């Protein structure tokens, strides 16, 4: 049995890839360049390329206190799931505002015009998953195949 620790940044095996992104509170170490912004921002990490994901993109986000997205966006093909894991803020979708905090999960369809802001005085943390809208044809019990008891040694 091979035991991998997560002190290495990346570990891959036959049927998996593992990437240690670090603590969410330290996501500021990652730089993100958006073509609409003059300067790179910090605190957004896209994990698709680090893991070789093939059906989704996922970002880990730390959004500082007091910051607002300077522009809205929608999507061409992908729906998005925002999972808020810490802090407080607001999500604007079309003309509606949703208060968000740890545990808030929001799906936004392709055409939803969205933005978020952190109107609190602590950092806001969220995970965003995007995948092609209407592409999921089976999941969980329809797709999972139960096997035998796990052997840990
Ligand atoms: Zn998006």
């Amino acid at each position: 049995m091979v035991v991998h620790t997560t002190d290495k940044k990346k570990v891959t095996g036959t049927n998996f890839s593992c990437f240690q992104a670090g603590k969410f509170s330290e996501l500021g170490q990652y730089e993100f360049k958006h073509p609409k912004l003059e300067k790179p921002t910090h605190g957004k990490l896209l994990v698709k390329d680090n893991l070789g994901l093939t059906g989704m993109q996922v970002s880990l986000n730390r959004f500082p206190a007091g910051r607002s997205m300077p522009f809205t966006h929608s999507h061409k093909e992908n729906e998005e799931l925002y999972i808020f894991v810490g802090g407080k803020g607001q999500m604007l979708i079309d003309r509606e505002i949703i208060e968000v905090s740890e545990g808030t999960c929001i799906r936004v369809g392709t055409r939803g015009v969205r933005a978020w802001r952190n109107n609190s005085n602590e950092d806001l943390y969220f995970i965003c998953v995007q995948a092609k809208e209407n592409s999921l044809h089976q999941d969980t019990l329809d797709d999972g195949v139960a096997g035998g008891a796990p052997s840990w040694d």
Side-chain angles (χ1 to χ4, degrees):
M1 186 72 69
V2 179
V3 179
H4 298 285
T5 57
T6 54
D7 50 359
K8 284 187 205 150
K9 272 234 163 216
K10 290 186 187 187
V11 178
T12 54
T14 309
N15 292 306
F16 72 91
S17 52
C18 172
F19 173 67
Q20 171 55 277
K23 292 180 178 170
F24 270 53
S25 61
E26 293 167 8
L27 283 172
Q29 69 183 291
Y30 297 104
E31 191 177 271
F32 177 68
K33 178 76 187 105
H34 192 287
K36 259 187 103 103
L37 297 174
E38 272 177 35
K39 289 190 214 157
T41 55
H42 293 264
K44 182 181 202 68
L45 173 66
L46 298 170
V47 301
K48 178 175 77 68
D49 293 341
N50 287 303
L51 291 173
L53 295 171
T54 63
M56 70 187 91
Q57 174 61 280
V58 179
S59 64
L60 310 180
N61 299 272
R62 170 180 165 264
F63 204 70
R67 184 177 293 173
S68 298
M69 277 298 291
F71 55 88
T72 61
H73 81 279
S74 58
H75 276 261
K76 294 176 194 162
E77 294 190 18
N78 296 342
E79 67 180 355
E80 286 187 318
L81 167 62
Y82 292 83
I83 305 168
F84 292 88
V85 295
K88 287 186 170 65
Q90 291 181 323
M91 189 108 192
L92 173 69
I93 303 163
D94 303 322
R95 300 288 308 146
E96 297 184 55
I97 295 169
I98 303 173
E99 303 274 354
V100 302
S101 60
E102 182 176 342
T104 306
C105 302
I106 302 176
R107 173 197 175 264
V108 187
T110 51
R111 284 186 239 166
V113 176
R114 73 210 72 178
W116 49 91
R117 69 178 179 179
N118 182 344
N119 57 348
S120 78
N121 49 24
E122 52 186 289
D123 291 345
L124 178 66
Y125 296 98
F126 64 95
I127 297 166
C128 183
V129 180
Q130 59 174 273
K132 190 170 181 181
E133 200 165 55
N134 296 313
S135 66
L136 190 64
H137 300 294
Q138 75 291 320
D139 69 283
T140 316
L141 294 178
D142 293 328
D143 194 63
V145 181
S151 169
W152 290 95
D153 41 43

